[in-house]
Amino acid sequence: MEVLVLASGSSGNAAVVCSGETAILVDVGVSALQVRKRLESFGRSVADITSIVLTHEHSDHVRGLEVLLKRDPVPVWATRGTWSELQVSTASGGQLYSGRSRTIGSLKMTPVATSHDAREPVAFLFDDGSRRVGYCTDTGTFTGLLEQRLAGCDVLLVEANHDRDMLRNGPYPWDLKQRIASRLGHLGNHQTVDAVERLCSPSLKAVVGLHLSAENNTPGLVCDTLGGCVDPGIPVTSVPRTEMLRIVCEKDAVQIDRQPVPPSNRNRV
């Protein structure tokens, strides 16, 4: 199984989970052009995408969806709540339900309800029959349901949005700080540590921090904090908004490579 993190953070989120000929795009939070360019950086294209699944309707997760579908009518799957907030049409795909698995090609995908200020947000568990990948972002608390559904993952991609002290003392207005730190906001590093500790198992081979705040967190803080709660041989990393990540999960090991995001070509003179 392979995971390509194309974008992560409040400026946009997108990832691809691949197994054999199946490639599922999780969220389209950057422009359609950037999705194409970032896929090309990994030797792939939108033509490879089997389906799109959405975690929720916020713009940093669906910004490029409408334009992408106009050129490439890929099947889209989302919860009823997410669909109710979208102004896009698709010829195929359908509705997702938390806890109800759906098989797409060689991947079994299970949506899991999260705690966020969206209509019906979900995380995802992907299973190809021999490896399991958990993808959990945009949740204010790591619930018992998430712990139950994401148990036994080989690779865990989980939100590590903010450092508690940096958020408290940072430049954001008070109401935004309260939203981020609430049960309907985003996981802080201290909460992500708790989540990883609860999900540690003999299967776990890598941990990746997602959705880092550029103002209230740093990649070094995430890695230092999470690295202390897993065995020394398990790689721990994070994805700032300026980088992309390729994770290859093999039988007994995980290979992780990173590269910079391609330039946007805006404001060039």
Side-chain angles (χ1 to χ4, degrees), residues 155-156 158 196 204-209 226 230 234-238 256:
V155 177
L156 178 64
V158 61
V196 173
L204 188 64
K205 298 179 180 67
V207 178
V208 179
L226 299 184
V230 298
I234 296 177
V236 174
T237 190
S238 61
I256 299 176

Side-chain angles (χ1 to χ4, degrees), residues 8 35 37 71 105 146 150 180 190 199-200 215 222 227 239 262:
S8 182
V35 170
K37 291 175 70 173
R71 178 172 167 178
L146 284 166
L150 300 184
I180 291 170
H190 60 293
L199 290 174
C200 275
E215 293 78 16
V222 172
V239 191

